[in-house]
Structure formats: structure tokens, C-alpha cells
Amino acid sequence: IIGILLGVSVGSFLNVVAYRLPIILHQKWKQECCEYLNLELSQPQVINNLSIIWTSSFCPYCKSKISAFDNIPILSYILLSGKCRKCSYKIPSSYFMVEILSGMITGYTFYSIGNISWNLVFYSLFVWILLSLAMLIVALSPSPQASVVKTRVGLSLKWLDQ
């Protein structure tokens, strides 16, 4: 049970990383390019001072802060029917699925290793890093292979978004 709860919590954090990291890197890249070329930023940054760790959770559509009660992994998604409480924006089902997948994989890792050890820490970190890399690759890759993965995952999870 501890492994599943830890995995679900880490899965929620991995969703934050997969959403915010590309935005942060793009904003930084754009700012550095403008500084190098002695240009002013033509458009304001999407979200100022966005941080993976320190910025509170917010709706990607209306940008309103998400309360702690609405930020409980899996449970909040189910209770809110996968929508933002403020604007009813449909939160992608991939967030829900990553939390479940992370919980299941971490729970299985805890179960397989059986005791708290450095192996457990290593394997858990390894699994989480692989999961976050897979999320970033699927989210950012314009390749046809990523499109096929997105389509297959999307079609298999289509019933969650209804």
C-alpha cells in the first residue's frame, strides 16, 4: 500500500514535470535568443516565474490555482469528473493514467523487492525517470511513431474522456 501511495504521488509530480518543463525550456530559449540578438520579447511569457517545484498547481486553461483538496491524485480526478472546478476545462485523461501507472509500477517494485533497501530506492528512481522520459517523448515528439503511440493510447483511453 505504501508503494502504491508513493507511486501515485510521484506520478502526480511527473505530470507537473511533463507539463511545465517544456514551457520553462521554451521560455528560457526564447529569452536567451532575444538577448543574444538584442531584441525585445515580442510576446509576454506564458507564465512568469514558472517553476517545477515552487509554483502552485493551476488549471492549464484558466490559470486559477488548484486547492489542496482538488489536488489529491486520482481521487480528485474522479470526484471532479476530470474537470477544473473553476472553469470546467476537461483535464486530459493522461494525467489520471500516469498517476495510476506510476502507482501500479511502484507498488509492484515495492512488492518485488520486499524490504526497504538501496535496491528499492534505485529501482523506484529508475522507473520514475523512465516514465517521465516516456511522457516527455510522447508529448513533444512530432515523429510519426509518437503520433501512432498517441493515437493508440488516446483511442484506448477515449472512454475516460467522455
Side-chain angles (χ1 to χ4, degrees), residues 112-140:
S112 297
I113 294 182
N115 59 353
I116 297 176
S117 64
W118 286 110
N119 282 342
L120 178 65
V121 172
F122 172 76
Y123 285 123
S124 296
L125 288 173
F126 182 71
V127 164
W128 296 331
I129 289 169
L130 286 179
L131 184 57
S132 62
L133 288 174
M135 291 167 54
L136 287 169
I137 288 169
V138 170
L140 298 177

Short mmCIF file of all heavy atoms in Angstrom, two decimals, residues 112-140:
data_model
loop_
_atom_site.label_atom_id
_atom_site.label_comp_id
_atom_site.label_asym_id
_atom_site.label_seq_id
_atom_site.Cartn_x
_atom_site.Cartn_y
_atom_site.Cartn_z
N SER A 112 7.97 -6.60 -5.20
CA SER A 112 9.00 -7.50 -5.72
C SER A 112 10.26 -7.50 -4.86
O SER A 112 10.85 -8.55 -4.62
CB SER A 112 9.40 -7.10 -7.14
OG SER A 112 8.31 -7.24 -8.00
N ILE A 113 10.68 -6.32 -4.42
CA ILE A 113 11.91 -6.23 -3.63
C ILE A 113 11.65 -6.64 -2.18
O ILE A 113 12.48 -7.28 -1.56
CB ILE A 113 12.53 -4.84 -3.76
CG1 ILE A 113 12.97 -4.66 -5.22
CG2 ILE A 113 13.68 -4.64 -2.80
CD1 ILE A 113 13.62 -3.42 -5.58
N GLY A 114 10.50 -6.29 -1.66
CA GLY A 114 10.07 -6.81 -0.37
C GLY A 114 10.56 -6.10 0.86
O GLY A 114 9.91 -6.15 1.89
N ASN A 115 11.69 -5.47 0.82
CA ASN A 115 12.17 -4.75 2.01
C ASN A 115 12.77 -3.42 1.60
O ASN A 115 13.14 -3.21 0.45
CB ASN A 115 13.20 -5.60 2.77
CG ASN A 115 14.41 -5.95 1.91
OD1 ASN A 115 14.43 -5.67 0.72
ND2 ASN A 115 15.41 -6.56 2.51
N ILE A 116 12.86 -2.53 2.55
CA ILE A 116 13.43 -1.22 2.26
C ILE A 116 14.94 -1.37 2.17
O ILE A 116 15.59 -1.80 3.13
CB ILE A 116 13.03 -0.20 3.34
CG1 ILE A 116 11.51 -0.01 3.33
CG2 ILE A 116 13.75 1.13 3.12
CD1 ILE A 116 10.98 0.89 4.40
N SER A 117 15.45 -1.05 0.99
CA SER A 117 16.89 -1.18 0.75
C SER A 117 17.30 -0.19 -0.33
O SER A 117 16.46 0.49 -0.92
CB SER A 117 17.21 -2.61 0.29
OG SER A 117 16.58 -2.86 -0.95
N TRP A 118 18.60 -0.15 -0.59
CA TRP A 118 19.09 0.72 -1.66
C TRP A 118 18.59 0.24 -3.02
O TRP A 118 18.40 1.04 -3.92
CB TRP A 118 20.62 0.81 -1.63
CG TRP A 118 21.09 1.65 -0.49
CD1 TRP A 118 21.75 1.23 0.62
CD2 TRP A 118 20.91 3.05 -0.34
NE1 TRP A 118 21.99 2.29 1.45
CE2 TRP A 118 21.49 3.44 0.89
CE3 TRP A 118 20.32 4.04 -1.12
CZ2 TRP A 118 21.50 4.74 1.34
CZ3 TRP A 118 20.33 5.35 -0.66
CH2 TRP A 118 20.91 5.69 0.55
N ASN A 119 18.39 -1.06 -3.16
CA ASN A 119 17.82 -1.58 -4.42
C ASN A 119 16.43 -1.02 -4.66
O ASN A 119 16.10 -0.67 -5.79
CB ASN A 119 17.75 -3.12 -4.39
CG ASN A 119 19.08 -3.75 -4.65
OD1 ASN A 119 19.99 -3.13 -5.18
ND2 ASN A 119 19.20 -5.02 -4.27
N LEU A 120 15.64 -0.95 -3.63
CA LEU A 120 14.28 -0.40 -3.75
C LEU A 120 14.33 1.06 -4.19
O LEU A 120 13.61 1.48 -5.09
CB LEU A 120 13.53 -0.53 -2.43
CG LEU A 120 12.12 0.04 -2.41
CD1 LEU A 120 11.22 -0.73 -3.36
CD2 LEU A 120 11.56 -0.02 -1.01
N VAL A 121 15.22 1.82 -3.58
CA VAL A 121 15.37 3.24 -3.93
C VAL A 121 15.85 3.36 -5.38
O VAL A 121 15.28 4.13 -6.16
CB VAL A 121 16.37 3.94 -2.97
CG1 VAL A 121 16.70 5.35 -3.45
CG2 VAL A 121 15.83 3.96 -1.56
N PHE A 122 16.85 2.57 -5.74
CA PHE A 122 17.39 2.64 -7.10
C PHE A 122 16.34 2.27 -8.14
O PHE A 122 16.14 2.99 -9.12
CB PHE A 122 18.61 1.71 -7.23
CG PHE A 122 19.09 1.57 -8.64
CD1 PHE A 122 19.81 2.60 -9.23
CD2 PHE A 122 18.81 0.44 -9.38
CE1 PHE A 122 20.25 2.50 -10.54
CE2 PHE A 122 19.25 0.32 -10.69
CZ PHE A 122 19.97 1.35 -11.27
N TYR A 123 15.65 1.14 -7.95
CA TYR A 123 14.66 0.71 -8.93
C TYR A 123 13.48 1.67 -9.03
O TYR A 123 12.96 1.93 -10.10
CB TYR A 123 14.17 -0.71 -8.62
CG TYR A 123 15.17 -1.77 -8.97
CD1 TYR A 123 15.63 -2.66 -8.02
CD2 TYR A 123 15.68 -1.87 -10.26
CE1 TYR A 123 16.58 -3.63 -8.34
CE2 TYR A 123 16.62 -2.84 -10.60
CZ TYR A 123 17.06 -3.71 -9.62
OH TYR A 123 17.98 -4.67 -9.95
N SER A 124 13.06 2.21 -7.91
CA SER A 124 11.95 3.17 -7.93
C SER A 124 12.35 4.43 -8.70
O SER A 124 11.60 4.90 -9.55
CB SER A 124 11.52 3.54 -6.51
OG SER A 124 11.01 2.41 -5.85
N LEU A 125 13.52 4.97 -8.41
CA LEU A 125 14.00 6.15 -9.13
C LEU A 125 14.15 5.85 -10.62
O LEU A 125 13.79 6.68 -11.47
CB LEU A 125 15.33 6.64 -8.55
CG LEU A 125 15.26 7.31 -7.20
CD1 LEU A 125 16.67 7.60 -6.66
CD2 LEU A 125 14.46 8.60 -7.28
N PHE A 126 14.67 4.69 -10.94
CA PHE A 126 14.84 4.29 -12.33
C PHE A 126 13.51 4.25 -13.07
O PHE A 126 13.37 4.79 -14.17
CB PHE A 126 15.54 2.93 -12.39
CG PHE A 126 15.82 2.45 -13.77
CD1 PHE A 126 16.79 3.06 -14.55
CD2 PHE A 126 15.13 1.37 -14.29
CE1 PHE A 126 17.06 2.61 -15.84
CE2 PHE A 126 15.39 0.91 -15.57
CZ PHE A 126 16.36 1.53 -16.34
N VAL A 127 12.52 3.64 -12.45
CA VAL A 127 11.19 3.55 -13.06
C VAL A 127 10.58 4.94 -13.25
O VAL A 127 10.00 5.24 -14.29
CB VAL A 127 10.28 2.65 -12.19
CG1 VAL A 127 8.83 2.84 -12.53
CG2 VAL A 127 10.68 1.20 -12.33
N TRP A 128 10.72 5.79 -12.26
CA TRP A 128 10.15 7.14 -12.36
C TRP A 128 10.83 7.96 -13.44
O TRP A 128 10.17 8.71 -14.16
CB TRP A 128 10.22 7.85 -11.01
CG TRP A 128 9.39 7.20 -9.95
CD1 TRP A 128 8.24 6.47 -10.12
CD2 TRP A 128 9.65 7.20 -8.55
NE1 TRP A 128 7.77 6.04 -8.90
CE2 TRP A 128 8.62 6.46 -7.92
CE3 TRP A 128 10.64 7.74 -7.76
CZ2 TRP A 128 8.56 6.27 -6.55
CZ3 TRP A 128 10.60 7.54 -6.38
CH2 TRP A 128 9.55 6.81 -5.80
N ILE A 129 12.14 7.83 -13.55
CA ILE A 129 12.87 8.55 -14.60
C ILE A 129 12.43 8.05 -15.98
O ILE A 129 12.17 8.85 -16.89
CB ILE A 129 14.39 8.42 -14.41
CG1 ILE A 129 14.84 9.22 -13.19
CG2 ILE A 129 15.15 8.86 -15.66
CD1 ILE A 129 16.26 8.96 -12.74
N LEU A 130 12.31 6.73 -16.14
CA LEU A 130 11.86 6.19 -17.43
C LEU A 130 10.44 6.65 -17.77
O LEU A 130 10.15 7.01 -18.91
CB LEU A 130 11.91 4.66 -17.41
CG LEU A 130 13.28 4.02 -17.49
CD1 LEU A 130 13.16 2.50 -17.44
CD2 LEU A 130 14.01 4.45 -18.74
N LEU A 131 9.57 6.66 -16.78
CA LEU A 131 8.20 7.10 -17.01
C LEU A 131 8.16 8.57 -17.41
O LEU A 131 7.46 8.94 -18.35
CB LEU A 131 7.35 6.85 -15.76
CG LEU A 131 5.86 7.16 -15.87
CD1 LEU A 131 5.21 6.39 -17.01
CD2 LEU A 131 5.17 6.85 -14.55
N SER A 132 8.93 9.41 -16.73
CA SER A 132 8.92 10.83 -17.07
C SER A 132 9.52 11.06 -18.45
O SER A 132 9.02 11.90 -19.22
CB SER A 132 9.65 11.66 -16.01
OG SER A 132 11.00 11.29 -15.92
N LEU A 133 10.56 10.33 -18.81
CA LEU A 133 11.13 10.47 -20.16
C LEU A 133 10.14 10.02 -21.22
O LEU A 133 10.00 10.67 -22.26
CB LEU A 133 12.43 9.66 -20.27
CG LEU A 133 13.63 10.21 -19.53
CD1 LEU A 133 14.81 9.24 -19.60
CD2 LEU A 133 14.03 11.57 -20.07
N ALA A 134 9.44 8.93 -20.97
CA ALA A 134 8.43 8.46 -21.92
C ALA A 134 7.34 9.51 -22.10
O ALA A 134 6.89 9.77 -23.22
CB ALA A 134 7.84 7.14 -21.45
N MET A 135 6.91 10.12 -21.00
CA MET A 135 5.88 11.15 -21.09
C MET A 135 6.35 12.34 -21.92
O MET A 135 5.61 12.86 -22.76
CB MET A 135 5.50 11.64 -19.68
CG MET A 135 4.77 10.62 -18.86
SD MET A 135 4.67 11.08 -17.12
CE MET A 135 3.95 12.70 -17.20
N LEU A 136 7.59 12.77 -21.69
CA LEU A 136 8.13 13.91 -22.44
C LEU A 136 8.30 13.57 -23.92
O LEU A 136 8.00 14.39 -24.79
CB LEU A 136 9.46 14.36 -21.84
CG LEU A 136 9.36 15.10 -20.52
CD1 LEU A 136 10.73 15.25 -19.89
CD2 LEU A 136 8.70 16.45 -20.72
N ILE A 137 8.75 12.37 -24.23
CA ILE A 137 8.93 11.97 -25.62
C ILE A 137 7.59 11.94 -26.35
O ILE A 137 7.46 12.47 -27.45
CB ILE A 137 9.63 10.60 -25.70
CG1 ILE A 137 11.10 10.75 -25.31
CG2 ILE A 137 9.51 10.00 -27.10
CD1 ILE A 137 11.82 9.45 -25.10
N VAL A 138 6.59 11.35 -25.74
CA VAL A 138 5.29 11.28 -26.38
C VAL A 138 4.67 12.67 -26.52
O VAL A 138 4.08 13.00 -27.55
CB VAL A 138 4.34 10.32 -25.61
CG1 VAL A 138 2.93 10.43 -26.11
CG2 VAL A 138 4.84 8.90 -25.73
N ALA A 139 4.83 13.50 -25.51
CA ALA A 139 4.23 14.84 -25.54
C ALA A 139 4.91 15.76 -26.55
O ALA A 139 4.24 16.58 -27.18
CB ALA A 139 4.28 15.46 -24.16
N LEU A 140 6.20 15.64 -26.71
CA LEU A 140 6.95 16.62 -27.51
C LEU A 140 7.35 16.15 -28.90
O LEU A 140 7.67 16.96 -29.75
CB LEU A 140 8.22 17.03 -26.76
CG LEU A 140 8.00 17.72 -25.42
CD1 LEU A 140 9.33 17.99 -24.76
CD2 LEU A 140 7.23 19.00 -25.63
#
